[in-house]
PDB file of all heavy atoms in Angstrom:
ATOM      1  N   VAL A 555     -15.519  27.592  16.473  1.00 85.00           N
ATOM      2  CA  VAL A 555     -15.603  26.461  17.412  1.00 85.00           C
ATOM      3  C   VAL A 555     -15.711  25.142  16.652  1.00 85.00           C
ATOM      4  O   VAL A 555     -14.981  24.178  16.929  1.00 85.00           O
ATOM      5  CB  VAL A 555     -16.811  26.627  18.357  1.00 85.00           C
ATOM      6  CG1 VAL A 555     -16.980  25.384  19.229  1.00 85.00           C
ATOM      7  CG2 VAL A 555     -16.628  27.855  19.237  1.00 85.00           C
ATOM      8  N   GLN A 556     -16.607  25.101  15.655  1.00 85.00           N
ATOM      9  CA  GLN A 556     -16.835  23.854  14.909  1.00 85.00           C
ATOM     10  C   GLN A 556     -15.618  23.438  14.096  1.00 85.00           C
ATOM     11  O   GLN A 556     -15.171  22.289  14.147  1.00 85.00           O
ATOM     12  CB  GLN A 556     -18.047  24.033  13.978  1.00 85.00           C
ATOM     13  CG  GLN A 556     -18.419  22.781  13.190  1.00 85.00           C
ATOM     14  CD  GLN A 556     -17.718  22.690  11.847  1.00 85.00           C
ATOM     15  OE1 GLN A 556     -17.457  23.714  11.193  1.00 85.00           O
ATOM     16  NE2 GLN A 556     -17.383  21.486  11.423  1.00 85.00           N
ATOM     17  N   SER A 557     -15.060  24.375  13.332  1.00 77.00           N
ATOM     18  CA  SER A 557     -13.964  24.020  12.426  1.00 77.00           C
ATOM     19  C   SER A 557     -12.675  23.713  13.176  1.00 77.00           C
ATOM     20  O   SER A 557     -11.936  22.798  12.794  1.00 77.00           O
ATOM     21  CB  SER A 557     -13.731  25.136  11.402  1.00 77.00           C
ATOM     22  OG  SER A 557     -13.362  26.334  12.052  1.00 77.00           O
ATOM     23  N   VAL A 558     -12.413  24.479  14.239  1.00 77.00           N
ATOM     24  CA  VAL A 558     -11.197  24.224  15.012  1.00 77.00           C
ATOM     25  C   VAL A 558     -11.277  22.864  15.698  1.00 77.00           C
ATOM     26  O   VAL A 558     -10.327  22.077  15.675  1.00 77.00           O
ATOM     27  CB  VAL A 558     -10.965  25.349  16.049  1.00 77.00           C
ATOM     28  CG1 VAL A 558      -9.871  24.960  17.037  1.00 77.00           C
ATOM     29  CG2 VAL A 558     -10.573  26.642  15.339  1.00 77.00           C
ATOM     30  N   LEU A 559     -12.436  22.559  16.290  1.00 85.00           N
ATOM     31  CA  LEU A 559     -12.615  21.261  16.937  1.00 85.00           C
ATOM     32  C   LEU A 559     -12.526  20.130  15.926  1.00 85.00           C
ATOM     33  O   LEU A 559     -11.835  19.121  16.155  1.00 85.00           O
ATOM     34  CB  LEU A 559     -13.964  21.220  17.656  1.00 85.00           C
ATOM     35  CG  LEU A 559     -14.325  19.898  18.357  1.00 85.00           C
ATOM     36  CD1 LEU A 559     -13.285  19.540  19.404  1.00 85.00           C
ATOM     37  CD2 LEU A 559     -15.715  19.994  18.991  1.00 85.00           C
ATOM     38  N   ALA A 560     -13.197  20.296  14.769  1.00 83.00           N
ATOM     39  CA  ALA A 560     -13.181  19.256  13.735  1.00 83.00           C
ATOM     40  C   ALA A 560     -11.776  19.033  13.188  1.00 83.00           C
ATOM     41  O   ALA A 560     -11.336  17.894  13.003  1.00 83.00           O
ATOM     42  CB  ALA A 560     -14.133  19.638  12.601  1.00 83.00           C
ATOM     43  N   ALA A 561     -11.058  20.129  12.916  1.00 77.00           N
ATOM     44  CA  ALA A 561      -9.700  20.007  12.369  1.00 77.00           C
ATOM     45  C   ALA A 561      -8.755  19.352  13.370  1.00 77.00           C
ATOM     46  O   ALA A 561      -7.924  18.521  12.996  1.00 77.00           O
ATOM     47  CB  ALA A 561      -9.167  21.385  11.979  1.00 77.00           C
ATOM     48  N   ALA A 562      -8.891  19.732  14.642  1.00 81.00           N
ATOM     49  CA  ALA A 562      -8.022  19.160  15.658  1.00 81.00           C
ATOM     50  C   ALA A 562      -8.255  17.655  15.800  1.00 81.00           C
ATOM     51  O   ALA A 562      -7.307  16.860  15.858  1.00 81.00           O
ATOM     52  CB  ALA A 562      -8.263  19.860  16.999  1.00 81.00           C
ATOM     53  N   VAL A 563      -9.536  17.256  15.814  1.00 85.00           N
ATOM     54  CA  VAL A 563      -9.869  15.832  15.903  1.00 85.00           C
ATOM     55  C   VAL A 563      -9.369  15.095  14.665  1.00 85.00           C
ATOM     56  O   VAL A 563      -8.795  14.004  14.746  1.00 85.00           O
ATOM     57  CB  VAL A 563     -11.394  15.640  16.065  1.00 85.00           C
ATOM     58  CG1 VAL A 563     -11.774  14.170  15.936  1.00 85.00           C
ATOM     59  CG2 VAL A 563     -11.853  16.174  17.419  1.00 85.00           C
ATOM     60  N   LEU A 564      -9.589  15.705  13.484  1.00 82.00           N
ATOM     61  CA  LEU A 564      -9.167  15.085  12.222  1.00 82.00           C
ATOM     62  C   LEU A 564      -7.662  14.835  12.203  1.00 82.00           C
ATOM     63  O   LEU A 564      -7.203  13.737  11.885  1.00 82.00           O
ATOM     64  CB  LEU A 564      -9.576  15.983  11.052  1.00 82.00           C
ATOM     65  CG  LEU A 564      -9.410  15.436   9.632  1.00 82.00           C
ATOM     66  CD1 LEU A 564     -10.387  16.128   8.695  1.00 82.00           C
ATOM     67  CD2 LEU A 564      -7.989  15.647   9.107  1.00 82.00           C
ATOM     68  N   PHE A 565      -6.873  15.865  12.532  1.00 80.00           N
ATOM     69  CA  PHE A 565      -5.414  15.726  12.518  1.00 80.00           C
ATOM     70  C   PHE A 565      -4.964  14.636  13.490  1.00 80.00           C
ATOM     71  O   PHE A 565      -4.114  13.805  13.159  1.00 80.00           O
ATOM     72  CB  PHE A 565      -4.751  17.055  12.890  1.00 80.00           C
ATOM     73  CG  PHE A 565      -4.572  17.984  11.727  1.00 80.00           C
ATOM     74  CD1 PHE A 565      -5.191  19.225  11.716  1.00 80.00           C
ATOM     75  CD2 PHE A 565      -3.793  17.635  10.641  1.00 80.00           C
ATOM     76  CE1 PHE A 565      -5.029  20.093  10.659  1.00 80.00           C
ATOM     77  CE2 PHE A 565      -3.622  18.486   9.575  1.00 80.00           C
ATOM     78  CZ  PHE A 565      -4.245  19.725   9.585  1.00 80.00           C
ATOM     79  N   MET A 566      -5.523  14.648  14.692  1.00 83.00           N
ATOM     80  CA  MET A 566      -5.109  13.688  15.705  1.00 83.00           C
ATOM     81  C   MET A 566      -5.411  12.254  15.268  1.00 83.00           C
ATOM     82  O   MET A 566      -4.547  11.374  15.325  1.00 83.00           O
ATOM     83  CB  MET A 566      -5.819  13.984  17.031  1.00 83.00           C
ATOM     84  CG  MET A 566      -5.428  13.054  18.170  1.00 83.00           C
ATOM     85  SD  MET A 566      -6.268  13.469  19.725  1.00 83.00           S
ATOM     86  CE  MET A 566      -7.978  13.061  19.304  1.00 83.00           C
ATOM     87  N   ILE A 567      -6.648  12.026  14.788  1.00 85.00           N
ATOM     88  CA  ILE A 567      -7.046  10.672  14.385  1.00 85.00           C
ATOM     89  C   ILE A 567      -6.296  10.236  13.131  1.00 85.00           C
ATOM     90  O   ILE A 567      -5.859   9.083  13.025  1.00 85.00           O
ATOM     91  CB  ILE A 567      -8.566  10.623  14.156  1.00 85.00           C
ATOM     92  CG1 ILE A 567      -9.288  10.841  15.492  1.00 85.00           C
ATOM     93  CG2 ILE A 567      -8.983   9.288  13.538  1.00 85.00           C
ATOM     94  CD1 ILE A 567     -10.787  10.912  15.378  1.00 85.00           C
TER      95      ILE A 567
END
Side-chain angles (χ1 to χ4, degrees):
V555 174
Q556 182 270 327
S557 62
V558 169
L559 178 59
V563 171
L564 188 155
F565 275 119
M566 181 179 67
I567 294 176

